[in-house]
Amino acid sequence: MSRRSMLLAALAVIMALVAFVPAMAQDKIEIQVWIAFGGARLEWAQGVAAEFNELFPQYEVVVVGDRSYEEVLSASSLAFEQGTQPAIIHFFEAGTQNARDAGFEGNPQFKSVAEAFGDRTEVNGLPVDFDNFVDAVRNYYTLDGTFTSFPWNTSSAIMFNNKTMLDAAGVESVPTTWAEVDAACEKIMAMENAPANCITWPNYGWFFEQAVAMQGTDLVNNGNGREARATETYLNSDAGIAYLEWWKDLENKGYYVYTGVQRDWNGTYNLFIQQQVAMLIYSSSDTSNATNAGRDAGFEVVASFYPHNQDVEYVGNLIGGGTLWLSNGLSTEVEDGALTFLLYLTNAENDASWHKLTGYVPVTKAGIALLEAEGWYEENPNSLVASAQLDGSAQTVATAGAIFGNFPAIRDILTTAIEEVLVNDRDVTEALNEAKELADESLAEYNFLYVTE
């Protein structure tokens, strides 16, 4: 090669490098995050992602929402099979076992976040501290001794009271037991200007599961599915029968109103805000909305613990909500970006901000400390109720919550059985026996498909 040719070749290499370096600087590592929220909750998450992208310009976190939990898991499973899975997906607590079993051609769809973090104490300068999570969250999501998914939105079942109406009826304090609810309803419905009914709640199996745990009873065998894979449900337990008998009695007295729609979150919420009922059993995830809506409508909303069975020792409540799952098979760069975003999403400031927006309980001790320092709970006492309820719960396998396959489908079976009792006047024991039989069949079919050992 002549000297001129060598110089031209060297120049070409230099020019190629000059063109390549800016391109590298501009390249970002995309982190896809699929969540099961829309509206203000999705906008909040996208806002946090925008802040994160400015702080960590090497990443581009893209948060996609407006789908249900089931739709997110289904879509992500298909994407996993095609090799186009998002880095993080959002799934509810009842789907924990389903998510753990999800996979394709022998490859698990998700990777344990504890395994992904390993023994690192920080990622991109953000501290890793699983001890920072509050006990109720740690208890539910610690499986086989470690965190499988990353906690985010956590709730509990509580009761919203129209305190203005309770005062007018002469009810001196918010009811804390089933008997006190009954007594309060008797007074409220005796008022000259009584509402159409006294109390309601969205028919959803989660409230039944809460009530069973509050009485210290497991929902499934094998230590609520935590000591070994569950093979039998306890839907027809004495605790479950007592709970449903209570509601049937309230319905027979005209105290309880069923909207006729399963999982009718909006319908029951509107009945309360429109003052057609005095009490609403609901998720704490809407504490801020309910409190503000009551104030706007001209009445005081007081949040209180989920009433318990006065004939049985109260044990405690369990959580609801969802967690964030890390996809398996990500490149090291994408996985590190996803882990960094998980840490940023749940730092103290974001944990507190998320709680203020929604009513979901803060999942970290640092988030609670920040809220206390700000005087948030003193100004907003309703916001403390769900956290206090979970903090006061005994730590048992019942209150840790059940883990088993096909839980979402079995929850639907339970919801239908409750409807049969409240709408079609089915005998409680008969309805729950039938539900248990169906649920056990569903669980056996699931285990047949997924249990290989």
Side-chain angles (χ1 to χ4, degrees), residues 69-70 92-95 201-210 243 256 258 261-265 268 283 306 320-321 407-408 411-412 414-416 418-419 422:
Y69 285 117
E70 292 85 353
F92 64 164
E93 95 292 358
W201 54 286
N203 176 19
Y204 186 46
W206 179 59
F207 294 98
F208 178 99
E209 298 154 20
Q210 290 266 345
Y243 177 72
Y256 164 72
Y258 181 47
V261 178
Q262 295 181 11
R263 305 174 203 82
D264 192 3
W265 297 94
T268 52
S283 168
Y306 191 3
F407 194 167
R411 180 176 277 176
D412 288 344
L414 178 58
T415 301
T416 299
I418 295 169
E419 186 174 68
L422 299 177

Side-chain angles (χ1 to χ4, degrees), residues 332-416:
T332 302
E333 293 79 10
V334 172
E335 184 175 294
D336 275 0
L339 295 177
T340 308
F341 182 67
L342 291 175
L343 295 172
Y344 184 76
L345 182 71
T346 52
N347 67 26
E349 291 75 18
N350 286 328
D351 195 19
S353 170
W354 177 240
H355 163 75
K356 290 177 181 176
L357 173 72
T358 60
Y360 281 115
V361 301
V363 295
T364 67
K365 298 170 185 174
I368 291 175
L370 177 60
L371 290 162
E372 289 174 342
E374 293 176 345
W376 168 259
Y377 292 127
E378 292 180 5
E379 297 177 4
N380 304 276
N382 283 347
S383 297
L384 184 59
V385 171
S387 288
Q389 180 172 267
L390 292 173
D391 285 347
S393 298
Q395 296 183 21
T396 69
V397 292
T399 58
I403 301 291
F404 57 99
N406 252 3
F407 194 167
I410 290 172
R411 180 176 277 176
D412 288 344
I413 291 171
L414 178 58
T415 301
T416 299

Side-chain angles (χ1 to χ4, degrees), residues 35-43 65-67:
I35 67 172
F37 286 135
R41 297 175 181 185
L42 173 59
E43 291 173 4
D66 286 325
R67 284 186 284 199

Side-chain angles (χ1 to χ4, degrees), residues 21-93:
V21 169
M24 285 182 64
Q26 292 172 4
D27 282 349
K28 290 176 177 288
I29 300 166
E30 184 168 300
I31 312 294
Q32 284 276 334
V33 180
W34 292 1
I35 67 172
F37 286 135
R41 297 175 181 185
L42 173 59
E43 291 173 4
W44 182 92
Q46 290 172 331
V48 171
E51 295 169 359
F52 176 87
N53 292 337
E54 287 189 12
L55 291 170
F56 299 91
Q58 68 270 41
Y59 300 120
E60 180 69 25
V61 171
V62 179
V63 179
V64 178
D66 286 325
R67 284 186 284 199
S68 69
Y69 285 117
E70 292 85 353
E71 289 170 341
V72 169
L73 181 62
S74 177
S76 68
S77 295
L78 179 60
F80 182 72
E81 294 177 14
Q82 297 172 341
T84 58
Q85 69 271 31
I88 298 170
I89 84 150
H90 181 208
F91 203 38
F92 64 164
E93 95 292 358

